[in-house]
Amino acid sequence: MNQLAKTFTCGARGSSLGTLRVRSTGLVVSSHNARPSSGLAHGTDVTNPSTMLPRSFVDVPHASHFPLQNLPYGVFSTHSSPKKRIGVAIGSSVIDLSALSDAGLLNGPHLHKAVCFHDGSLNAFMAMGRTAWTEARTTLIRLLSAGEGFLRDNKELLETAVLPMADVTLHMPANIGDYTDFYASREHATNCGEMFRGKGNELNENWVHIPIAYHGRSSSIVVSGTPVRRPRGQISDKQTGATAPRCGPCQRLDIELEMATTISPWVVTMDALEPFRCAAPVQDPPVLPYLQEKNRHTYDINLEVSLQPQASLEPTVIAQSNLKHLYWTMPQMVSHHTLGGCNLQPGDLLGTGTISCGADKGVGSLLEASWSGTRTVDLKDGQHRTFLEDGDTVTLTGYCQGDGYRVGFGKCSGMILPALSV
């Protein structure tokens, strides 16, 4: 359930809406259907908050994950219009891109004939590539800016295109064909290795040479808010003298990815994350040439996990980490994934794996926090945990902190339900 740090791939070469590099070339204004100017000079990098993005006329609460600097994409529906379509989050609102498209506002050279915003997934939009993504972002920043009146002053269009987030239902953002989960955190791998193999033998020899991953089941991926059923399986009771395994509920359900994968409904673009680029950890020993990066970097994304038992009034923060601690970067994961000829398709999901660090509360799983069940994690109401119990709700959040604003992924949560009877 730690999939805030995710990459949706958008093509066979591994470019992605999560790792694309886009430079804006200015406002997108169709010559045959010009719209009012936003007041930004042609060539302004409107994807970069450091160039002083204008304020939006849409209200953005303090500490919201969705200011004008973000504009993440998702899929939603409403009670009055149950057909799924694509939207963008800003503040406490969702912008219906299908309504803007129908109104002729997404009228640049790459999007004026596009029907992808009426789709029930982001796959077709992802497949359109960087130029279309850039065009959509620059156009939306212009339309949502306080100084641009075309949408702001159109009362009828506002009612259909700018919807309260509380009134929409959010869905899976993409049709995920394949899902690969990496093991990219050195701190997490070291902690697990010490528990399983002993001190002095924490990392397998190949861990620092290869971004290890496994192929998961995309059918287990669910959107935030979906309950997670405790799985059943075969359990060995050798410690009690049993000579054969038995079938029963999982006894050590963690916030790892092996049991279920819960993802945020919002896909944050790398345009929005670009101002938070930072240096990645030094890799020693040097990696093979195909994994070497000319401009090695990662992103400063704060990550937090909270746990709330069913009878508790408030959650307890049990983990705080940051994406910047990952030993392996997203480009390295994509490079190794495709090295052997594995194709990537629009909508494929690449997970980083558990992200741990050396700070207080820096471990990203209950396995580490309880040290394989040998100690407890204290909660606010006096309860304790070693692993997840039925009724527990786990919530993950991730955000980048700017100067007076945040670019975030929203909340990613799920409640643990009891195992089914067999």
Side-chain angles (χ1 to χ4, degrees):
M1 295 173 66
N2 55 351
Q3 274 304 103
L4 281 173
K6 63 179 182 288
T7 296
F8 281 104
T9 64
C10 299
R13 292 193 178 186
S15 63
S16 72
L17 204 61
T19 58
L20 64 96
R21 308 287 184 265
V22 180
R23 177 175 293 174
S24 170
T25 57
L27 300 177
V28 179
V29 180
S30 172
S31 59
H32 69 274
N33 190 15
R35 299 300 184 192
S37 168
S38 68
L40 293 175
H42 184 76
T44 297
D45 184 359
V46 295
T47 70
N48 190 341
S50 66
T51 58
M52 298 185 67
L53 274 181
R55 295 179 64 85
S56 175
F57 68 84
V58 179
D59 181 57
V60 177
H62 177 69
S64 169
H65 281 205
F66 310 126
L68 189 62
Q69 290 91 336
N70 193 351
L71 303 181
Y73 296 97
V75 173
F76 77 98
S77 63
T78 62
H79 179 73
S80 60
S81 182
K83 184 180 184 299
K84 296 178 184 178
R85 62 263 197 203
I86 294 176
V88 159
I90 181 168
S92 301
S93 301
V94 174
I95 309 302
D96 187 340
L97 297 191
S98 68
L100 296 188
S101 180
D102 288 344
L105 298 186
L106 301 178
N107 60 348
H110 299 286
L111 296 177
H112 72 283
K113 294 183 178 180
V115 296
C116 60
F117 298 118
H118 292 268
D119 290 351
S121 78
L122 287 169
N123 294 58
F125 179 49
M126 289 175 169
M128 293 184 70
R130 299 181 180 186
T131 53
W133 308 335
T134 303
E135 184 176 294
R137 180 174 172 82
T138 55
T139 302
L140 288 169
I141 289 175
R142 172 175 60 84
L143 290 173
L144 295 171
S145 298
E148 169 64 77
F150 197 87
L151 176 58
R152 182 198 64 204
D153 299 335
N154 189 327
K155 184 178 180 180
E156 182 178 354
L157 184 57
L158 275 178
E159 291 180 353
T160 58
V162 183
L163 308 172
M165 193 175 294
D167 293 346
V168 309
T169 299
L170 297 172
H171 304 279
M172 286 286 291
N175 294 326
I176 301 172
D178 281 298
Y179 157 52
T180 301
D181 183 32
F182 283 82
Y183 192 38
S185 168
R186 183 165 189 164
E187 291 82 356
H188 175 64
T190 298
N191 290 333
C192 293
E194 182 176 342
M195 281 184 277
F196 300 150
R197 291 185 296 274
K199 201 167 184 63
N201 191 29
E202 295 91 346
L203 291 180
N204 286 325
E205 184 178 354
N206 68 340
W207 196 93
V208 294
H209 295 283
I210 179 175
I212 295 171
Y214 71 91
H215 186 266
R217 289 187 58 84
S218 60
S219 61
S220 70
I221 300 171
V222 295
V223 73
S224 176
T226 305
V228 176
R229 179 75 63 178
R230 181 180 295 274
R232 299 180 69 92
Q234 291 193 17
I235 301 172
S236 174
D237 285 330
K238 291 183 179 180
Q239 293 179 344
T240 63
T243 58
R246 63 180 177 85
C247 180
C250 171
Q251 296 176 335
R252 288 189 163 197
L253 184 60
D254 202 350
I255 55 173
E256 298 278 359
L257 301 178
E258 286 79 13
M259 300 304 176
T261 302
T262 301
I263 65 171
S264 165
W266 298 110
V267 177
V268 178
T269 69
M270 297 311 291
D271 280 333
L273 297 180
E274 187 61 25
F276 308 100
R277 180 190 289 204
C278 63
V282 175
Q283 292 186 313
D284 184 25
V287 296
L288 292 175
Y290 79 95
L291 293 170
Q292 294 173 4
E293 301 168 277
K294 293 181 179 179
N295 182 17
R296 178 172 166 77
H297 64 272
T298 184
Y299 298 89
D300 185 0
I301 305 177
N302 299 290
L303 302 171
E304 184 176 283
V305 182
S306 64
L307 191 156
Q308 184 173 359
Q310 193 167 20
S312 295
L313 297 178
E314 59 178 329
T316 299
V317 175
I318 61 172
Q320 292 175 313
S321 189
N322 194 297
L323 184 83
K324 66 183 180 182
H325 298 298
L326 284 181
Y327 189 82
W328 297 103
T329 66
M330 288 184 280
Q332 287 178 316
M333 296 179 211
V334 172
S335 295
H336 184 69
H337 197 288
T338 57
L339 177 69
C342 180
N343 294 319
L344 295 178
Q345 302 294 333
D348 285 358
L349 180 64
L350 305 184
T352 63
T354 302
I355 302 172
S356 295
C357 68
D360 183 40
K361 292 187 177 180
V363 293
S365 67
L366 284 173
L367 174 70
E368 296 166 89
S370 71
W371 207 250
S372 193
T374 61
R375 59 195 185 208
T376 60
V377 176
D378 298 333
L379 305 181
K380 287 182 177 180
D381 60 357
Q383 294 192 55
H384 310 280
R385 290 290 183 273
T386 51
F387 293 95
L388 296 175
E389 297 185 6
D390 294 344
D392 287 350
T393 294
V394 177
T395 301
L396 293 85
T397 58
Y399 65 89
C400 304
Q401 185 61 57
D403 184 9
Y405 70 96
R406 287 182 175 180
V407 168
F409 294 77
K411 290 185 177 180
C412 182
S413 63
M415 175 185 280
I416 306 302
L417 300 181
L420 293 173
S421 299
V422 176

